[in-house]
Amino acid sequence: MSAHTIDPEFEDIAFTPRQEAVLEHALALLVGGGEKALTTAGLARTANCSKESLYKWFGDRDGLLAAVVAYQANKVHFPPESGATADAETFRTHLVAFATELLAVLFGETSLALNRLSIGQSNRDDNRLGRLLLVRGKHMISARARSLLEAGRHRGLIKFNDAEEAYQVLYGLAVRDVHIRLLLGDTPSEAERDLEAQARVAVDRFYRLFGA
């Protein structure tokens, strides 16, 4: 993105390599010390940049926190719908790639730490992190995934009546109970570490239900 305050809706945001490096430092501060540890002064010192740059890129502290969550969510990539639905094989490949990246983000230590931190604050009225994880994380990913599924339905590659229901089925088939187990401190099995294999199985089962 260009050096200006981030659009509040965070739609299709693109960070520069320098901004991504700064946000990785911000994630480390947030995971290591909670919201209180994520300050502009602390981030500027850790990331070796000026506070002026941080304000120019992300706005105030709330904007910085929102950018951190959006950056993490953006690690799940989505292809242009026209390219994703070029043919049946291409579309299926993109669904597997989406499910693989989704699992990589959800099962990664950073996302697990952010979710644990948010859950620990869930009884607070000012749980900004929890709201951001829902709006800028989960909801943003699900909205774009539904658009991808709708594009596939439009091309006659899959069939369903409700895009949200179809996405929830795909999500459940991919994630299963592994995410909650990891949040509770369980260690994934060797098979569960093969994220692409899990994604392929999930998509295969999804097609049994929604394949055209």
Side-chain angles (χ1 to χ4, degrees):
M1 59 177 287
S2 59
H4 57 70
T5 302
I6 294 175
D7 185 289
E9 295 303 320
F10 287 90
E11 294 180 354
D12 300 321
I13 192 168
F15 296 105
T16 67
R18 177 55 176 151
Q19 290 167 340
E20 289 182 351
V22 170
L23 290 172
E24 284 290 346
H25 284 288
L27 277 169
L29 289 173
L30 188 61
V31 170
E35 283 190 56
K36 292 182 179 179
L38 184 59
T39 65
T40 53
L43 180 57
R45 181 172 57 254
T46 303
N48 193 26
C49 67
S50 67
K51 288 194 291 185
E52 289 74 17
S53 293
L54 294 178
Y55 285 118
K56 183 185 295 184
W57 292 338
F58 310 121
D60 58 15
R61 186 175 177 278
D62 285 348
L64 174 59
L65 186 63
V68 168
V69 174
Y71 168 65
Q72 185 70 2
N74 280 351
K75 293 178 181 179
V76 180
H77 299 100
F78 290 86
E81 291 178 7
S82 58
T85 59
D87 54 64
E89 183 178 354
T90 298
F91 181 70
R92 189 167 185 145
T93 297
H94 281 302
L95 285 185
V96 171
F98 158 71
T100 303
E101 289 191 349
L102 177 67
L103 294 178
V105 170
L106 288 178
F107 295 176
E109 285 302 318
T110 299
S111 286
L112 290 174
L114 288 175
N115 277 277
R116 290 183 186 121
L117 179 61
S118 174
I119 291 169
Q121 302 173 352
S122 60
N123 61 342
R124 288 169 39 182
D125 293 336
D126 62 342
N127 184 10
R128 293 174 299 172
L129 180 58
R131 291 195 299 271
L132 286 169
L133 287 172
L134 283 173
V135 176
R136 302 293 188 242
K138 187 179 188 305
H139 292 171
M140 184 179 74
I141 290 173
S142 64
R144 298 182 69 182
R146 290 195 305 271
S147 294
L148 180 62
L149 294 177
E150 288 279 15
R153 179 173 68 169
H154 179 72
R155 287 294 303 274
L157 304 175
I158 52 176
K159 57 183 179 180
F160 54 80
N161 294 321
D162 184 272
E164 174 63 21
E165 179 184 6
Y167 171 67
Q168 290 299 331
V169 170
L170 177 60
Y171 182 96
L173 290 171
V175 177
R176 299 175 294 159
D177 72 334
V178 181
H179 191 224
I180 187 65
R181 284 174 30 227
L182 295 180
L183 284 172
L184 294 173
D186 196 11
T187 301
S189 66
E190 184 175 346
E192 289 167 347
R193 292 190 180 96
D194 190 342
L195 303 183
E196 184 175 352
Q198 289 186 68
R200 289 188 182 281
V201 170
V203 171
D204 286 346
R205 291 171 176 170
F206 179 79
Y207 267 79
R208 292 179 192 174
L209 296 170
F210 301 104

